[in-house]
Amino acid sequence: MRADGIAPNGAAGLQVDAVTKAFGGVVALQPCSFTVPAGAMCALLGPSGCGKTTTLRIVAGFELPNSGRVLIGGEDKTYAPPQRRRLGMVFQSYALFPHMTVAQNVAFGLRMAGLPRAEIEERTRRMLDVIRLPQFADRHPAQLSGGQQQRVALARALVTEPSVLLLDEPLGALDKSLREQMQFEIRQLQQRLGITTLIVTHDQEEALTMSDLIVVMSKGRILQVGTPTEVYERPKSRFVSEFLGTSNILACRVRSQDSGGAVRVGVAGLTPEAAFTAWSRHPPGADAEVLVAIRPEHIHMAPSSGHEGITGFVDGQITGHVFRGATHVYQVAVPGLEVPFIVYQQVTGPMADVALPLGTPVALTWPEGAARVVDATAH
């Protein structure tokens, strides 16, 4: 694979081109297009019913699209049967054969392909080394932990050397700590093997942690495609901003336009009106009403003098607090706003710092670049 993520023949690893799908009168997918560079991992992210699993099934060949194309390594595989697409697939349930040993499960696809016995044994042994389970070759799935079963399912999918690996909610059955561990293990394995991978998930943290590219979907449409940093820090719509993490959404009015896509906005309902710079992909005109999103971790909160006017950007009062181990989460009520600000404060000391008590007057500020104008209608 070249440094730009394109295969030696000049083709992307996977391309979904204007694919649509309807089941009877129900439209499951409106025209959807995205490209996964060869060797990259792409996450299809969205709530239940958004179309991500339908998209995966079309890529796998389990469903045929009503229109559009699926290209794998530059070759049109839209109507090819699953067995002719050179895909590996891992399901949430793992789907291991309970009566077979670990080695037999991993070797299953190679046996079905009719490879020589010596080659099957060699490739199976090599793959068990890759997943660090050679000592469990003769055990059955029931004798393994959930994480070990997950690794066996991955080995079975990878041993056939597929062009694309498909992961359908692969970590949904694991507890939180094991899920986080497996996120790193799968990611490291995928990067080491350099295999183009498509993962379906509704877990935002999983998509951010594991993928090179995120495709955010809702109601059968693709709302945004980008790297984890792009989608998280520069969401196009309110839906993306709120689905991929937490955002403070402010109703604002544009006061002036600056250079480079920046606009000066005022927060509706505040007296005096707080004005600040927000960034927009398509700067709106003066006096336009817009929604602005600010991530809680970008807001700085400090005790203020209380009711002697605005001491920071906006004045407020702490009305709620929860402790999440690495983070203090505060609710800050601001006079004139119906919805309180959510503010994250990272824990920096071994004693988990000292939380500010409820009722404390505080001043909220945030740096330029933290505020983004988002589309209010896309969902």
Side-chain angles (χ1 to χ4, degrees), residues 56-290:
L56 186 82
R57 290 178 61 81
I58 288 174
V59 171
F62 300 151
E63 300 281 355
L64 295 179
N66 295 112
S67 61
R69 300 185 304 159
V70 174
L71 291 86
I72 298 174
E75 298 182 9
D76 192 334
K77 298 290 186 179
T78 309
Y79 299 105
Q83 65 271 22
R84 295 188 179 276
R85 299 191 181 206
R86 288 196 60 223
L87 302 175
M89 190 159 187
V90 178
F91 303 91
Q92 180 176 344
S93 63
Y94 313 145
L96 298 176
F97 300 111
H99 62 287
M100 293 185 183
T101 65
V102 166
Q104 290 169 339
N105 266 282
V106 173
F108 180 78
L110 301 178
R111 293 202 307 272
M112 292 298 99
L115 296 182
R117 179 175 179 178
E119 182 177 352
I120 292 175
E121 292 178 351
E122 171 61 24
R123 288 171 64 170
T124 299
R125 184 166 52 251
R126 190 165 63 243
M127 187 52 64
L128 288 175
D129 287 338
V130 168
I131 64 170
R132 305 194 307 280
L133 291 177
Q135 71 274 29
F136 295 105
D138 296 326
R139 294 194 184 184
H140 287 79
Q143 298 172 296
L144 304 179
S145 67
Q148 291 168 339
Q149 291 182 43
Q150 176 63 272
R151 279 188 265 168
V152 174
L154 275 169
R156 185 177 61 182
L158 292 170
V159 75
T160 59
E161 299 178 354
S163 297
V164 176
L165 176 64
L166 304 179
L167 306 175
D168 187 10
E169 301 276 8
L171 306 180
L174 304 179
D175 60 59
K176 180 176 174 59
S177 61
L178 183 54
R179 186 166 65 246
E180 291 176 350
Q181 176 187 338
M182 288 304 302
Q183 287 171 5
F184 284 103
E185 291 204 11
I186 292 175
R187 179 58 167 154
Q188 291 168 357
L189 181 61
Q190 181 268 333
Q191 289 177 318
R192 187 162 73 248
L193 298 177
I195 184 170
T196 306
T197 303
L198 187 66
I199 179 172
V200 163
T201 181
H202 64 273
D203 187 309
Q204 301 91 332
E205 182 179 296
E206 194 167 285
L208 290 169
T209 301
M210 298 178 66
S211 60
D212 300 294
L213 190 72
I214 296 179
V215 178
V216 184
M217 303 183 69
S218 176
K219 299 181 179 179
R221 294 187 298 126
I222 292 177
L223 299 186
Q224 188 168 349
V225 179
T227 66
T229 300
E230 289 170 343
V231 176
Y232 184 81
E233 296 290 358
R234 297 186 289 278
K236 290 183 177 180
S237 67
R238 178 172 187 168
F239 177 90
V240 173
S241 179
E242 293 183 317
F243 187 79
L244 202 70
T246 300
S247 276
N248 294 289
I249 305 296
L250 303 175
C252 299
R253 184 178 295 276
V254 176
R255 294 309 180 206
S256 63
Q257 290 192 7
D258 296 334
S259 59
V263 292
R264 196 73 177 167
V265 300
V267 182
L270 294 190
T271 304
E273 184 183 67
F276 61 97
T277 298
W279 300 91
S280 177
R281 294 173 183 268
H282 307 288
D287 288 330
E289 295 181 353
V290 295

Side-chain angles (χ1 to χ4, degrees), residues 292-310:
V292 174
I294 307 171
R295 296 288 186 190
E297 63 269 25
H298 295 327
I299 299 176
H300 175 71
M301 182 178 71
S304 71
S305 56
H307 305 288
E308 299 175 3
I310 295 179

Side-chain angles (χ1 to χ4, degrees), residues 270 274 302-317 332-337 341 361-365:
L270 294 190
S304 71
S305 56
H307 305 288
E308 299 175 3
I310 295 179
T311 58
F313 194 81
V314 292
D315 270 352
Q317 189 178 65
V332 178
V334 175
L337 299 183
F341 272 82
V362 292
L364 305 181
T365 60

